[in-house]
Amino acid sequence: MVTQVGEGHETAADEAGPVLTFGAPTAGEVLAERYQLEEHVNNDSAGRQVWRGIDVILRRPVAMVLRHPGGDSAVEMLQAAVAASRVIHPNLAGVYDAIDEQDRAYVVREWVDGESLRDLVAAEGPLDPARAIAIAHSVADALTAVHATGMIHGNVHPGSTLIADDGRVVLADARADAADSTESDIRAVGGILYFALTGHWPHTEVGDSALPDANRDSAGNPAAPRQIRAGIPAYLDDLTMDLLDRRVAAPASDALTAELGRLDAAADDEEYEDVGPLRFVQSGSSSSSEPIRSAPKIMVGVGALIVIAIIGLIFGIRAINKTSNSTDAGNTPVTQPTNAGDSTVQQPAPVPQKIKITADMVRMVDPPRGERLDGDQAKYTIDGNPATVWETSKYNTAPFGGLKPGMGVLINLGEKRSLSEVQVTTSAPGATIDVRTGSSDPGDSSNGDEKIAKDFKSLSDEKPEKSSGTKWYFTGFDPNQKYQYVLVFLTELPRAEDGDRFQISVSEIELSGY
């Protein structure tokens, strides 16, 4: 896939191409007697167009970011481009030219074969922690080079973070204005981590945005990544939320780069539990009017070891007391006073884990008028092998040809469990998937399947939406409820890959809980 996104807030280009007005750029036009416009890629809410072009002198592809009309409105864009051209770094898109023709102004930069982080997550769903860390590390490294020159990027965003086909991460299209700062760049790295891990953007957007907003509490604060997805290490969750929290002073870009590099190395070795406390040193104070936390989490050297030892001792004493005096504390946090005034130590919240599901715990549900021919394929959705799949038959319309309410896989956990997430991997986006629960399995029969389709209750607050990628997540389990029977139910199918009717394959269903 070849995509270029040059702004933080793009809107998709119309399939028929950009709307042409007098003086607007057109395909085939040569600008500055050198740069030929080839294809209009997208528009952004700031009034810029991104084109794929050709440098006819050097015969190389280029990306061209144009503002029409130009004039005073293009000054910031051109100034940022000139400043960016002085910074050479493997994780920054090279800037070749910046031209002001009054009626039109444009920046010519490196063309990157690949796709934006925004489009990658839209297609594949949230990324695994290791990949999210690697991308954020590259972005922070690029910002270190930018900030070292006294420059501010001002446009760190999933739309301007490009993932090249060769794996390189490239930050493009600086666009700083008076409201931007090095701190806002650093906060945006926290946003990149949050978006990569959750598929949601935690910062306020200017203008229309195609990015899903973060889930927020009554105060407007985004939910922590671990509240949205299972399997995110607590350390990464803390780092992401600290970068977003204006009460915590933002680190310098070089300190953040070093810290992400340390975590990146730990991710390569799958040793998250050994990464230790945060090691970046705070650089000054936050520019926000909110107070900085009086007890920062940054601990270094001997001080870190002392704190860890004290906490370990407290937990050890509490564990002994709990064993002696407690019968069944469940998951309720327990606190014990320390010798330090009124402060307490709270038991960490349980971390959701992937639940092992075996073939005898799943079966296909195919209510009338289904022919119940796919029963032997249910086991392929939980075997961990992406090459083995449950593939539906082809139907004339998306809702299973109107023959039945849907099809799905019933999971019997054997006992009631607290659950946090369902993840479904499919062959294509565009399927409507619902998670339902019930109290029993009425039997592996046509009548039993019909009863399940009618009696099992959907856990969705609203009508389920079509999946936007090949990985679909559901996190709407009630934390106060326990579940034994979980039905992953498809109600509408996307068009088959060959365009002939409607069909999908499900390669994996994963369930996480406590």
Side-chain angles (χ1 to χ4, degrees), residues 186 235 239 242-243 248-260 262 277-286 292 296-301:
I186 295 301
Y235 175 84
L239 176 59
D242 277 358
L243 290 173
V248 177
S253 52
D254 57 350
L256 177 59
T257 299
E259 181 64 3
L260 286 168
R262 187 173 74 100
L278 301 179
R279 289 182 183 169
F280 57 68
V281 179
Q282 300 285 12
S283 58
S285 61
S286 170
I292 298 174
K297 288 186 281 184
I298 291 72
M299 298 176 289
V300 282

Side-chain angles (χ1 to χ4, degrees), residues 418-443:
S418 296
L419 303 178
S420 62
E421 180 186 75
V422 172
Q423 176 179 318
V424 182
T425 304
T426 60
S427 58
T432 300
I433 307 174
D434 194 15
V435 174
R436 305 179 181 183
T437 63
S439 59
S440 64
D441 180 0

Side-chain angles (χ1 to χ4, degrees), residues 381-401:
T381 66
I382 50 87
D383 62 1
N385 182 359
T388 57
V389 302
W390 160 41
E391 184 177 58
T392 69
S393 300
K394 289 185 176 180
Y395 297 86
N396 291 328
T397 62
F400 288 86

Side-chain angles (χ1 to χ4, degrees), residues 82 114 130 179 181 220 268 277 295 359 440:
V82 171
S181 64
D268 288 341
S440 64

